[in-house]
Amino acid sequence: MPITPMEIYKLLPKTNCKKCGEQTCMAFAFKVVNRDRQIEECTPLFEEEKYAKQKEQLLEMLEPLKEASETGLIVDESKCTGCANCIVVCPVHAAEDAYGSGSGFGPKIDDPIYRLENGVLKIINVQRCRRYGKNRILCVACRENCPSDAISFLEG
C-alpha cells in the first residue's frame, strides 16, 4: 500500500509552525513522501510529548521509505514470479533496447533498469527510470503490468 502525503499529514501536529522551513504541514508531508525532507525535521513532533504517539505511528509508517530506490520504487522479491512483464513494458527498455528487453528476449544493453537474476527482479540502473531526476515522469508501466504486485512506488 503506498504511503500518501495525506496519511502523513494526518499524524503531523498540523500547526503550520514553519519550524521545518515549509509554509504548511501539508507541503512538508509531500516532501517527506518524496524524500526531500526527513520526518525528524518536524521538531515539535520530536520535542513535545503530546505528539509522542503520532511520532511513533509516523516512524513505523515511514519504515518502507528506507527500502525504496531514488524513484520511490520498491520491489518485493518474495512476491516476484519472474514473469518479466515489467522489463518488457518499460517504455525506456522498449525505446533503448527494443530487440532485447522490449521484445522479451532479455536485456541486450549493459545497464538496463531491471534484470531477472535467478528468477527474481533486480534493479540494475534506476537512473534510467523515467521517475528519476528533476524532470521525472510518474510512469507506472512496470507496476501496472506486474501480476503479483511485487512492484510498488511511494506516492507523492
Side-chain angles (χ1 to χ4, degrees):
M1 169 128 5
I3 299 169
T4 66
M6 184 55 78
E7 290 175 309
I8 293 173
Y9 174 75
K10 287 178 183 175
L11 295 171
L12 290 173
K14 295 186 282 288
T15 59
N16 296 329
C17 68
K18 302 178 181 63
K19 290 181 179 176
C20 63
E22 299 299 329
Q23 290 298 310
T24 64
C25 292
M26 182 56 102
F28 180 74
F30 270 94
K31 291 191 176 184
V32 169
V33 169
N34 289 328
R35 295 181 302 155
D36 295 329
R37 306 297 302 266
Q38 299 293 315
I39 195 65
E40 290 80 7
E41 295 176 75
C42 176
T43 53
L45 190 67
F46 285 83
E47 293 173 352
E48 298 179 34
E49 186 61 31
K50 63 183 177 184
Y51 301 123
K53 188 174 179 179
Q54 293 164 252
K55 177 185 77 176
E56 293 306 316
Q57 288 178 298
L58 275 166
L59 290 173
E60 183 178 327
M61 176 191 297
L62 296 172
E63 187 67 24
L65 288 175
K66 295 176 182 171
E67 299 173 16
S69 74
E70 292 84 359
T71 61
L73 170 66
I74 300 171
V75 175
D76 184 344
E77 293 181 3
S78 68
K79 291 181 177 178
C80 180
T81 61
C83 71
N85 284 356
C86 53
I87 296 173
V88 175
V89 301
C90 172
V92 175
H93 284 170
E96 297 182 19
D97 187 25
Y99 298 107
S101 303
S103 62
F105 292 113
K108 302 248 186 266
I109 56 178
D110 292 335
D111 57 348
I113 297 170
Y114 297 120
R115 185 186 312 265
L116 285 181
E117 293 179 4
N118 298 320
V120 177
L121 185 67
K122 299 289 183 184
I123 302 169
I124 304 299
N125 186 357
V126 76
Q127 288 87 2
R128 286 181 157 254
C129 180
R130 297 170 87 189
R131 296 178 67 106
Y132 186 84
K134 289 184 177 181
N135 298 319
R136 62 183 168 214
I137 297 169
L138 296 180
C139 179
V140 293
C142 56
R143 182 189 71 194
E144 295 301 310
N145 289 283
C146 179
S148 60
D149 293 329
I151 299 173
S152 62
F153 289 101
L154 300 172
E155 302 294 335

